[in-house]
Amino acid sequence: DSRNTVTFTGLTANTQYTVRVVAFNDLGDGGEVAGTGKTRPKGLIAVKLSTSFATQIAVDIATTSDSPLNLFSCTIMPNNNLPQSRHITGSEAKYVVDGLRPGVNYTVKCTAS
């Protein structure tokens, strides 16, 4: 429903913003909902995850050609609380992480600077 969707344009890259929303109708104002989020750094397009084997994850970070980003850091952690995680850092935007456990769901968190 387009009445419930708002797009903010002209925001500054890599900046934290707080958005507050108040619902109102003929009976008056409703409760307030607030959320905080940070915009993506300039030049970051997307992070793509893929796998071709049950024991590996490929992390591909897409950037624009004028991107100021030159350092990427990703942490891959299993969702089953077993002590197996991988941390990768470097200037390359593509990584393949081997040695993962088949059938285990993993969480991947990446940052760029």
Side-chain angles (χ1 to χ4, degrees):
D1 186 349
S2 63
R3 296 178 305 156
N4 298 323
T5 302
V6 176
T7 301
F8 296 97
T9 59
L11 301 177
T12 303
N14 205 30
T15 302
Q16 186 155 329
Y17 290 91
T18 299
V19 176
R20 291 182 174 86
V21 178
V22 177
F24 63 93
N25 59 26
D26 295 338
L27 300 176
D29 293 348
E32 179 179 296
V33 176
T36 301
K38 192 172 187 179
T39 54
R40 290 189 274 182
K42 180 181 178 184
L44 181 64
I45 297 173
V47 177
K48 179 183 174 186
L49 302 175
S50 60
T51 183
S52 53
F53 299 101
T55 59
Q56 79 176 199
I57 295 175
V59 180
D60 189 4
I61 302 171
T63 60
T64 60
S65 60
D66 64 341
S67 175
L69 304 173
N70 57 17
L71 181 64
F72 303 99
S73 178
C74 294
T75 301
I76 296 116
M77 295 180 55
N79 294 346
N80 61 4
N81 295 325
L82 293 176
Q84 180 190 15
S85 65
R86 303 283 190 270
H87 183 77
I88 49 178
T89 301
S91 59
E92 294 297 319
K94 187 167 187 164
Y95 304 96
V96 176
V97 180
D98 290 312
L100 304 178
R101 295 181 181 173
V104 173
N105 292 323
Y106 287 83
T107 298
V108 179
K109 293 183 180 183
C110 296
T111 58
S113 58

